[in-house]
Amino acid sequence: MSSFPELGSSPTSWPGDSPVWRAVLALAVVFVLLATTGWTAIRHHHPAGGPREAAVAAWRTASIGGRDLPDPESAPRTLARFFRSLTAAQKSRLADRFPLVVGNLGGAPVELRYHANRIALDDARRTAKERMNDQRLTEVGRQEAGRLMHRFESMLTEGRQILAFDPTGPGRAAEVFGDLSQARQVSVVVPGVDTNLVNFERTERTYTAPVGMAQSLYEAQRAERPDARTAVVAWADYTSPAGLGVDAATGRLAEEGAVRLDSFVDSLSAASRVSLFCHSYGSVVCGVAANKLSPKVTDIAVAGSPGMRVENAAGLGTRARVWATRDADDWIQDVPYMEFGALGHGADPVSQGFGARVLSADRAFGHAGYFEPGTDSLENFAEIGVGALGSVDCAAGRGPDCRAGIHGPADV
């Protein structure tokens, strides 16, 4: 007599690989999501308009030195060429006048973006402080404004390098650790669900937030190879799903995020070697982006992945090495690894048939513990980021050695 397949198993292990079984499980997942989280896809969209949209509209009608300003959606190389043609005073004038535009332009000098984002953050801090005492808001609204105000104050701390900032809706941001303009090895941390400005960093459970993940990785890389010219980016510059609702089970937001990730990688120095470290839903973003990523991306590592929207690593269409890891206590292993219509994200990246290089995650705990200092996962990520590929620890009992062929062309 047939029984339901074990959750977390590969779709190929289902009885007869029947579409009926897939449909039943897909519908069950939908009902569970709706019963426990509601239609988050509807409730958590960005509101129309916002301060950045207003700034972009003003930018499009402005000029400098008698010249029209470039389309902010232009390719990074086009924007870089425009900024190289400006004087230092003109660059500063644009950053002061349009901080929410300049601070988010791939191709603009990174130091200018840091300067612009400090201005934008200070403006947002003042607005949030006013909202804290606005009696027209609910108590919950005033408390949320207070949390944002404190977050912006923290991001304004001297020495922080905020590479992107948009306060619209839940908000987006990116922060750099190290010297990005001089780095020859750039690591990009792509986080998962519930990534927003409030959760961009955390005082408690530090290493579960994008800032803590990136800082931990940067420090581990410095310990691994102190002389390496490295930089790590906490890249929370996409709209992630809010909670484990419908958005988290589909690829719509991943597709939008992939466009932004591709553009960000294009904006990095051509002399840099880039590694992506993609956690949870962030691995869906990286999977969708993979076939369009610049050749400067040499490694894509996923942790706690619900899938990359493909059935195997070859389906990613990338020459980058593909790495995957998952600790034994991660609940993500119990999700149904499948794709049925728009629902689900495909095969399990740590499964034998996927074809990724499976790394050890010993000493990591839970779904959000991969960047904790002292874990095998963090040490492996650091070694990948600085190019010490011969030192990574493979997962125990997982077939071919994950270091095989690493000194030749990528074979996954």
Side-chain angles (χ1 to χ4, degrees), residues 3 25 43 53 218 222 275 286 347 352-353:
S3 60
L25 187 51
R43 293 189 293 111
E53 287 78 0
Y218 179 67
R222 297 293 295 162
S275 301
C286 292
Q352 192 74 48

Side-chain angles (χ1 to χ4, degrees), residues 52-389:
R52 185 168 188 275
E53 287 78 0
V56 167
W59 169 279
R60 292 185 186 279
T61 63
S63 62
I64 193 163
R67 302 163 54 196
D68 291 339
L69 302 182
D71 187 336
E73 302 299 324
S74 299
R77 67 181 72 87
T78 300
L79 295 169
R81 186 164 54 248
F82 168 74
F83 278 98
R84 284 196 298 269
S85 73
L86 301 179
T87 66
Q90 288 174 323
K91 294 175 188 175
S92 182
R93 196 178 314 148
L94 285 178
D96 292 345
R97 185 178 176 189
F98 303 105
L100 279 173
V101 179
V102 175
N104 293 283
L105 285 182
V110 294
E111 294 294 339
L112 187 68
R113 291 179 67 174
Y114 299 157
H115 169 70
N117 284 321
R118 288 192 69 81
I119 297 172
L121 275 162
D122 196 42
D123 290 342
R125 180 192 61 79
R126 286 197 298 270
T127 298
K129 190 172 184 178
E130 291 172 0
R131 289 173 60 81
M132 286 174 60
N133 301 306
D134 189 339
Q135 295 304 309
R136 293 172 298 178
L137 300 178
T138 64
E139 179 64 24
V140 171
R142 292 193 294 272
Q143 290 174 355
E144 180 71 11
R147 284 192 289 270
L148 281 171
M149 193 273 291
H150 290 301
R151 176 62 60 244
F152 299 152
E153 283 187 339
S154 176
M155 293 172 72
L156 281 164
T157 302
E158 189 66 31
R160 293 188 66 169
Q161 302 177 133
I162 306 302
L163 186 67
F165 172 68
D166 180 359
T168 306
R172 298 191 288 244
E175 182 170 6
V176 175
F177 295 89
D179 188 344
L180 185 60
S181 62
Q182 297 298 316
R184 290 296 172 262
Q185 295 166 318
V186 178
S187 297
V188 182
V189 175
V190 184
V193 299
D194 283 328
T195 297
N196 53 50
L197 286 174
V198 171
N199 295 329
F200 186 53
E201 60 181 312
R202 290 189 174 101
T203 303
E204 298 181 359
R205 301 175 64 233
T206 302
Y207 305 112
T208 67
V211 169
M213 292 177 179
Q215 187 169 20
S216 179
L217 180 57
Y218 179 67
E219 291 172 354
Q221 289 182 354
R222 297 293 295 162
E224 175 69 26
R225 188 166 288 180
D227 58 341
R229 293 164 65 180
T230 66
V232 179
V233 182
W235 191 81
D237 197 21
Y238 81 103
T239 300
S240 77
L244 299 178
V246 175
D247 275 342
T250 62
R252 182 182 64 84
L253 292 180
E255 291 167 2
E256 296 172 3
V259 173
R260 299 182 66 84
L261 180 59
D262 286 331
S263 179
F264 171 66
V265 171
D266 283 345
S267 74
L268 297 173
S269 168
S272 300
R273 182 180 69 81
V274 180
S275 301
L276 304 182
F277 298 92
C278 319
H279 177 244
S280 193
Y281 191 84
S283 67
V284 186
V285 177
C286 292
V288 175
N291 68 345
K292 292 184 176 66
L293 286 168
S294 164
K296 71 185 75 165
V297 176
T298 59
D299 297 272
I300 302 173
V302 301
S305 175
M308 301 179 76
R309 298 195 71 76
V310 293
E311 289 305 307
N312 52 54
L316 293 170
T318 178
R319 288 185 58 80
R321 288 172 288 264
V322 180
W323 309 81
T325 193
R326 186 175 66 214
D327 70 64
D329 301 298
D330 191 337
W331 57 261
I332 202 73
Q333 64 190 303
D334 294 323
V335 305
Y337 282 95
M338 49 157 253
E339 189 170 354
F340 184 80
L343 185 69
H345 303 304
D348 182 355
V350 303
S351 64
Q352 192 74 48
F354 189 83
R357 301 165 183 271
V358 183
L359 297 163
S360 170
D362 286 355
R363 295 178 288 171
F365 180 79
H367 185 59
Y370 296 98
F371 291 84
E372 286 276 352
T375 59
D376 282 19
S377 49
L378 178 63
E379 291 176 8
N380 282 326
F381 294 163
E383 287 158 354
I384 291 170
V386 299
L389 304 182

